[in-house]
Amino acid sequence: MDILKHGLKSTEVHSQPDLRSDILGYLDNGECFHGYYTEGNDWVTVIDEETEIHIGRGSLFPCDPKTFPNEDIHARLRLPHKKEMFGNHFLRSVGLKRFLLDTQSLNRAQCNFDLDSLCSWRNVHGQDDFDWVLYQSSTPTDDTGPDFDHTLRNATGKYVFIESSAPRRLFDAAWLQSPIIEAIGQLIYCFRFWYHMYGTSTGRLDVYQALETFVPGNLMWSVTGDHGNAWLQGQVALESAQNYSIIISGFVGNGYLGDIAIDDVSLSDGYCDVKPPSASRSDVSNSTLSRDKIEMAHKRSDAHFQLTVHGMRGCHGRLVT
């Protein structure tokens, strides 16, 4: 699919999915990049070896599906200048960008962290105390944390964890937030993940369902303390008539032997019993939705996935607009 060659200005690359965030630079060529897009969002997230950056969806066109994406977007960035940032006539006319977008796994908040990224998840800034860290092999402190990830079960696999050593203090919290999950009728989804809570001073791990900007939201699942040196499965059913996101919150316990790790997060259709049962903070019950209603909801979702930007149609899955 050919890119349109007319454009009003360079494409701004932002530090956050917010027009008020810092402009890191400008893209002014028609190369293809791989980015992450969540249905209903106005922003595409691009992750390379350096950092996570964000580009407005309206500035992008789809690539030809046979095009191999450029993995180093920073090599193509022009640094911002005052004239470009604030002037009305200094942004020269260039071609719009082409992007390969990955929606299927991201729309279901799925991630195994093995591509050196948080996928569509992000650390929440400004409202918690510190961040989840992408890691592999054993955590820096002995007698706490996993020795390997859950997906590959070896030292090369990745996971995310919270470091409970100094300067962390008791009850410090780190929030990891999913992309927006679009509500389709009253469908129930099952959020599954694997967690590792090992150490004599392990704190608490919570899962919240956050509606709109209300964070961290409603507590749906919670476990506390040392659960041994093992990966354990957690799951909880989520239901909402409104769009929502999922927030995983790790709390520091009373000491440095309290690393908490997460791996293999996913969201799938249908009800599931809370696992472990003692973690339940939810009142979601098994739904009586018929298969016909679920299939009709999926058809509506698929049709929405086929919506296009500037009249161009993308294919469901790997390449969309």
Side-chain angles (χ1 to χ4, degrees):
M1 184 179 296
D2 292 331
I3 182 175
L4 297 184
K5 293 301 183 182
H6 59 82
L8 299 178
K9 62 178 182 178
S10 303
T11 300
E12 298 172 348
V13 175
H14 288 257
S15 61
Q16 298 292 327
D18 187 337
L19 286 173
R20 295 169 295 182
S21 65
D22 294 335
I23 297 176
L24 301 179
Y26 297 88
L27 289 171
D28 56 8
N29 62 45
E31 294 195 36
C32 179
F33 296 93
H34 185 265
Y36 300 100
Y37 168 66
T38 305
E39 186 180 1
N41 206 332
D42 293 330
W43 293 83
V44 170
T45 299
V46 182
I47 303 171
D48 65 13
E49 293 181 357
E50 293 191 39
T51 187
E52 179 178 294
I53 60 180
H54 305 269
I55 302 175
R57 179 173 179 262
S59 301
L60 307 177
F61 284 95
C63 293
D64 186 304
K66 298 179 181 179
T67 303
F68 188 79
N70 190 319
E71 298 295 338
D72 185 10
I73 197 169
H74 281 80
R76 301 294 187 266
L77 276 184
R78 287 188 296 109
L79 295 179
H81 301 290
K82 284 188 176 181
K83 287 183 178 180
E84 290 177 312
M85 291 176 66
F86 302 113
N88 293 324
H89 306 290
F90 294 97
L91 297 175
R92 58 194 179 92
S93 178
V94 294
L96 299 180
K97 306 295 94 54
R98 300 182 295 172
F99 269 76
L100 285 174
L101 307 178
D102 185 349
T103 63
Q104 286 186 327
S105 64
L106 296 166
N107 192 55
R108 291 292 184 261
Q110 180 174 325
C111 191
N112 62 18
F113 306 106
D114 287 328
L115 296 178
D116 284 326
S117 83
L118 300 179
C119 304
S120 58
W121 291 72
R122 67 181 185 90
N123 278 298
V124 177
H125 296 294
Q127 301 183 68
D128 59 355
D129 302 297
F130 66 114
D131 288 342
W132 289 82
V133 178
L134 189 65
Y135 214 72
Q136 66 186 96
S137 188
S138 57
T139 57
T141 307
D142 292 338
D143 299 320
T144 186
D147 296 317
F148 46 79
D149 77 321
H150 173 262
T151 314
L152 302 179
R153 304 190 71 82
N154 61 40
T156 63
K158 308 293 195 306
Y159 58 88
V160 291
F161 88 108
I162 62 166
E163 171 64 73
S164 60
S165 302
R168 301 277 63 86
R169 297 178 296 178
L170 179 64
F171 301 135
D172 276 359
W175 294 351
L176 190 68
Q177 187 172 26
S178 77
I180 296 297
I181 310 302
E182 291 204 341
I184 304 176
Q186 289 286 336
L187 273 183
I188 295 177
Y189 294 104
C190 180
F191 178 55
R192 292 185 173 92
F193 55 97
W194 289 82
Y195 64 97
H196 193 285
M197 300 175 69
Y198 169 54
T200 56
S201 55
T202 303
R204 191 172 82 239
L205 180 65
D206 292 343
V207 173
Y208 294 88
Q209 184 179 25
L211 301 178
E212 298 180 349
T213 58
F214 175 61
V215 293
N218 298 317
L219 181 62
M220 306 297 288
W221 185 98
S222 182
V223 294
T224 305
D226 185 355
H227 288 252
N229 189 7
W231 284 102
L232 304 172
Q233 188 177 41
Q235 63 183 37
V236 62
L238 302 174
E239 180 181 22
S240 176
Q242 304 177 52
N243 294 348
Y244 62 91
S245 64
I246 301 165
I247 291 182
I248 300 174
S249 177
F251 289 88
V252 174
N254 190 23
Y256 65 92
L257 297 179
D259 295 348
I260 298 175
I262 291 291
D263 201 3
D264 293 325
V265 297
S266 64
L267 194 68
S268 58
D269 295 336
Y271 174 82
C272 59
D273 291 324
V274 176
K275 187 182 290 187
S278 60
S280 179
R281 303 295 185 273
S282 168
D283 59 359
V284 177
S285 59
N286 199 352
S287 174
T288 57
L289 276 178
S290 68
R291 180 174 297 275
D292 289 342
K293 288 183 180 180
I294 292 175
E295 289 179 351
M296 286 181 63
H298 280 310
K299 288 178 180 179
R300 290 197 297 270
S301 176
D302 288 345
H304 187 68
F305 265 49
Q306 297 294 339
L307 293 179
T308 58
V309 178
H310 302 293
M312 294 195 294
R313 183 181 181 84
C315 60
H316 180 61
R318 179 71 173 175
L319 175 66
V320 299
T321 56

